[in-house]
């Protein structure tokens, strides 16, 4: 197993039911009352750990119990029950009472040492929910910023109105800034996805971000909400896009090199690199440069081994070479090999049921498979074994009649073809030779022309 990489993420979490307990500086007490609702389990977690408390609850009765948590740090957590995600702030050596009532207007209420902080977080979550219901990323720059800073003002006003302790308020102001910055950094990409073109941003769009430190390794490591790490990742994606021409127009190489300059080798750089590792290594002129940057930047040997395995697989793949053979299970429980498809040009879709972009392409894939009857359209799923039935249901749902194969997650097929990102589309000619390792997706408006040019 991979070791946990943050210095404060090894928590000793003791949770047990009892009638009463005295609070001390080493323990945090949570007292629960559950009214008019059945709850099978309660989970308390943050970005560093997750713990489940199984309970027996009768909706006709009041369920009351006390839990003792041994925590090394005060901070942000989340309370999960019945698909509800409730913010929670816990201090070491204090007691908090939580009442969950199906018929209460607010559904949940707090009392105890951190009552004000938790009431503020609950109000903030409601403000955020209302904000997220508005499609602000499709707005132009001025309207987007107006809505975003209106949301920030509402949250800050709620924070100032709350009777909370100074240390929480100081950290929460930072958390708000990180959240706003992340929204701004995401805006161009999401806007382009929604509107079809990147917005032409003014020089002042990011001016409020100049006061933020994007290379604070301590804030990165200690973040419990993960807002700071997410903001940093989005920031370096922006920097990579801005500076890609300095790196042969390769955004992944720009991302890695800029982080390599700004961060020392260690846990934080490992995490930032792994953010791109899942899809950063691909066939192309920058393959060696990207691999060497990964290898020299990682401090975790296991990550180095993983990226080296991907690299060596990709180095074996060349356009015009014989494609690695595979023997995979079909929807009809037959074993289909690539060699058995010789004599036909083959278009392969590598996908999984959990991949949203993959699912989005299925209708287009079906249309193209019906149009190009002279080409063998093959779907290869890399779903986990426990999702086998779901795989079959999705195929039936979209009416797919082409060759359906399943390789399963972390299979030899993925290693042979260097599959680190899906959807992925491959072209193999009638002689079994590689035509493309990154073919156009079926919905591409140039699909017809590109498919003919690749096979002819």
């Amino acid at each position: 197993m991979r070791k946990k990489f943050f210095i404060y993420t090894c928590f000793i979490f003791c949770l047990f039911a009892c009638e009463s307990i005295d609070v001390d500086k080493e323990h945090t007490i949570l007292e629960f009352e559950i009214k008019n609702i059945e709850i099978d389990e309660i989970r308390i977690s943050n970005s560093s750990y997750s713990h489940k408390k199984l309970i027996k609850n009768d909706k006709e009765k009041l369920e009351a119990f006390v839990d003792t948590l041994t925590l090394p740090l005060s901070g942000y957590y989340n309370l999960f029950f019945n698909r509800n995600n409730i913010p929670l702030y816990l201090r070491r050596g204090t007691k908090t009472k939580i009442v969950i009532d199906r018929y209460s207007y607010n559904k949940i209420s707090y009392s105890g040492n951190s009552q004000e902080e938790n009431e503020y977080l609950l109000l903030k979550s409601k403000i955020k929910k209302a904000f997220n219901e508005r499609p602000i990323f499709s707005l132009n720059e001025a309207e987007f910023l107006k809505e975003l800073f209106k949301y920030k003002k509402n949250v800050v006003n709620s924070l100032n109105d709350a009777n909370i302790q100074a240390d929480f308020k100081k950290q929460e102001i930072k958390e708000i800034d990180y959240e706003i910055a992340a929204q701004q950094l995401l805006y161009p990409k999401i806007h382009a996805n929604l509107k079809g073109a990147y917005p032409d941003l003014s020089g002042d769009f990011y001016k409020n971000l100049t006061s933020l430190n994007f290379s604070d390794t301590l804030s990165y490591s200690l973040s419990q909400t993960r807002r700071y790490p997410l903001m940093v990742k989005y920031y370096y994606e922006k920097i990579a896009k801005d500076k890609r021409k300095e790196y042969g127009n390769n955004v992944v190489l720009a991302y890695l090199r800029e982080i390599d300059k700004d961060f020392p080798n260690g846990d934080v750089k490992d995490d930032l690199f792994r953010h791109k590792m899942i899809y950063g290594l691909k066939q192309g002129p920058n393959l060696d440069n990207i691999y060497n940057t990964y290898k020299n930047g990682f401090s975790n040997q296991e990550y180095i081994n993983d990226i080296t395995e991907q690299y060596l697989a990709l180095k074996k793949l060349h356009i015009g070479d014989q494609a690695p053979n595979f023997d995979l299970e079909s929807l009809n429980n037959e074993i289909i090999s690539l060699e058995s498809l010789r004599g036909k040009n083959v278009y392969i879709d590598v996908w999984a049921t959990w991949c949203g972009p993959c699912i989005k392409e299925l209708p287009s894939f079906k249309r193209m498979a019906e149009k190009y009857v002279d080409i063998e359209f093959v779907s290869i799923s890399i779903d986990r074994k426990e999702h086998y039935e779901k795989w079959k249901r999705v195929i039936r749902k979209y009416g797919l009649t082409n060759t359906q194969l399943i390789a399963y997650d972390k299979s030899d097929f993925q290693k042979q073809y260097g599959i680190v990102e899906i959807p992925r589309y491959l072209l193999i000619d009638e002689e079994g030779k590689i035509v493309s390792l990154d073919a156009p997706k079926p919905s591409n408006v140039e699909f017809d022309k590109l498919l003919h040019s690749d096979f002819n």
Side-chain angles (χ1 to χ4, degrees):
M1 292 179 65
R2 293 192 176 95
K3 64 180 182 180
K4 299 293 184 181
F5 75 93
F6 290 124
I7 57 177
Y8 288 104
T9 58
C10 294
F11 285 1
I12 303 173
F13 189 96
C14 299
L15 192 63
F16 56 88
C18 56
E19 294 301 323
S20 63
I21 190 167
D22 293 329
V23 65
D24 58 45
K25 66 179 181 179
E26 298 297 327
H27 297 96
T28 300
I29 307 301
L30 286 186
E31 181 181 350
F32 284 95
E33 285 188 15
I34 303 173
K35 303 177 180 179
N36 308 307
I37 186 172
E38 287 189 79
I39 297 177
D40 296 323
E41 69 176 37
I42 284 178
R43 181 161 59 92
I44 298 170
S45 67
N46 66 8
S47 62
S48 303
Y49 75 84
S50 177
H51 183 89
K52 290 192 292 188
K53 170 70 176 181
L54 299 177
I55 59 175
K56 294 181 179 179
N57 177 240
D58 186 338
K59 64 181 178 181
E60 302 298 329
K61 300 177 182 178
L62 167 68
E63 178 75 22
F65 57 91
V66 177
D67 296 334
T68 301
L69 288 63
T70 303
L71 303 175
L73 293 172
S74 302
Y76 295 90
Y77 298 85
N78 286 286
L79 173 67
F80 297 91
F81 66 92
N82 296 4
R83 298 185 179 180
N84 293 286
N85 178 1
I86 308 297
L88 194 60
Y89 190 82
L90 300 175
R91 294 180 182 276
R92 293 184 70 212
T94 64
K95 184 176 181 179
T96 296
K97 183 175 181 180
I98 301 173
V99 178
I100 303 172
D101 186 350
R102 179 180 182 180
Y103 300 119
S104 169
Y105 175 75
N106 290 318
K107 187 179 289 187
I108 188 165
S109 60
Y110 306 96
S111 60
N113 301 86
S114 300
Q115 176 180 349
E116 291 79 9
E117 286 83 355
N118 284 312
E119 287 177 347
Y120 156 76
L121 287 175
L122 191 59
L123 177 58
K124 178 186 176 183
S125 68
K126 293 176 180 177
I127 296 172
K128 185 174 182 179
K129 181 180 179 182
F131 170 71
N132 287 338
E133 289 174 351
R134 284 173 275 177
I136 69 166
F137 286 100
S138 62
L139 301 175
N140 64 37
E141 175 186 333
E143 293 171 333
F144 169 79
L145 290 177
K146 180 181 177 181
E147 291 294 325
L148 184 64
F149 287 113
K150 180 181 176 181
Y151 162 71
K152 180 180 180 180
K153 183 179 179 181
N154 290 338
V155 174
V156 171
N157 286 342
S158 299
L159 179 65
N160 290 332
D161 290 342
N163 182 26
I164 57 179
Q165 296 189 36
D167 61 337
F168 174 84
K169 185 173 184 178
K170 181 179 179 181
Q171 181 59 37
E172 182 61 19
I173 289 172
K174 293 181 181 179
E175 296 289 335
I176 295 169
D177 285 339
Y178 302 155
E179 181 184 356
I180 296 302
Q183 297 283 328
Q184 285 178 257
L185 292 163
L186 281 172
Y187 171 71
K189 183 177 181 179
I190 298 179
H191 183 88
N193 288 338
L194 294 172
K195 306 297 285 188
Y198 276 87
D200 186 14
L201 301 177
S202 69
D204 291 334
F205 183 77
Y206 295 113
K207 67 178 181 180
N208 60 299
L209 273 57
T210 56
S211 62
L212 296 175
N213 180 359
F214 293 95
S215 56
D216 183 351
T217 55
L218 187 60
S219 293
Y220 196 107
S221 297
L222 294 179
S223 175
Q224 294 175 313
T225 65
R226 306 301 295 154
R227 289 194 187 98
Y228 183 83
L230 282 174
M231 177 193 71
V232 171
K233 290 170 184 176
Y234 297 152
Y235 173 75
Y236 278 92
E237 287 180 351
K238 173 192 176 300
I239 294 297
K241 186 174 181 295
D242 292 344
K243 295 188 175 184
R244 65 188 183 278
K245 291 183 179 179
E246 299 177 24
Y247 300 94
N249 211 35
N250 189 292
V251 177
V252 172
L253 186 60
Y255 173 90
L256 297 174
R257 291 284 176 84
E258 289 298 313
I259 288 171
D260 198 41
K261 288 193 304 184
D262 294 349
F263 291 87
N265 284 16
D267 293 335
V268 171
K269 184 187 283 188
D270 280 0
D271 188 56
L272 287 165
F273 270 22
R274 277 187 62 78
H275 175 60
K276 284 291 184 186
M277 180 177 168
I278 58 171
Y279 60 88
L281 208 60
K282 293 182 179 180
Q283 277 283 3
N286 284 295
L287 176 61
D288 290 339
N289 286 336
I290 292 174
Y291 167 68
N292 288 323
T293 305
Y294 273 127
K295 186 179 70 171
N296 296 329
F298 274 133
S299 61
N300 186 311
Q301 186 59 47
E302 191 169 354
Y303 298 163
I304 295 174
N305 294 342
D306 286 346
I307 202 70
T308 299
E309 182 178 55
Q310 294 175 12
Y311 170 74
L312 293 176
L314 289 169
K315 288 291 283 186
K316 294 178 182 177
L317 298 172
H318 299 95
I319 304 303
D321 285 356
Q322 204 70 29
N325 188 42
F326 52 74
D327 296 279
L328 300 174
E329 179 185 348
S330 76
L331 189 64
N332 300 320
N333 302 118
E334 299 173 336
I335 300 300
I336 304 295
S337 68
L338 178 61
E339 290 181 351
S340 69
L341 302 176
R342 286 281 179 87
K344 272 195 170 185
N345 293 317
V346 181
Y347 179 85
I348 299 175
D349 169 21
V350 186
W351 70 296
T353 59
W354 47 260
C355 169
C358 300
I359 300 298
K360 186 178 180 181
E361 287 295 320
L362 292 183
S364 297
F365 185 88
K366 183 176 186 293
R367 286 196 300 272
M368 292 303 169
E370 292 170 350
K371 178 178 180 179
Y372 292 97
V373 293
D374 58 328
I375 295 175
E376 186 76 25
F377 278 72
V378 177
S379 299
I380 299 180
S381 166
I382 58 170
D383 273 290
R384 292 187 289 274
K385 287 188 177 181
E386 57 265 32
H387 292 161
Y388 181 79
E389 292 301 323
K390 182 180 179 182
W391 169 63
K392 294 197 293 186
R393 287 197 302 272
V394 171
I395 292 171
R396 289 195 297 267
K397 177 181 177 180
Y398 286 90
L400 301 175
T401 58
N402 63 295
T403 302
Q404 297 289 332
L405 307 177
I406 188 163
Y408 298 115
D409 185 31
K410 298 180 181 178
S411 65
D412 289 339
F413 166 76
Q414 286 173 265
K415 295 175 183 177
Q416 288 175 321
Y417 282 87
I419 304 295
V420 292
E421 177 191 23
I422 56 173
R424 177 90 169 270
Y425 303 98
L426 313 172
L427 293 180
I428 312 295
D429 71 14
E430 56 191 9
E431 297 179 356
K433 294 180 179 179
I434 298 170
V435 176
S436 175
L437 294 164
D438 192 15
K441 60 185 179 182
S443 65
N444 190 321
V445 293
E446 299 287 318
F447 183 88
D448 291 77
K449 183 170 69 176
L450 289 170
L451 201 61
H452 280 297
S453 64
D454 280 330
F455 278 137
N456 294 293

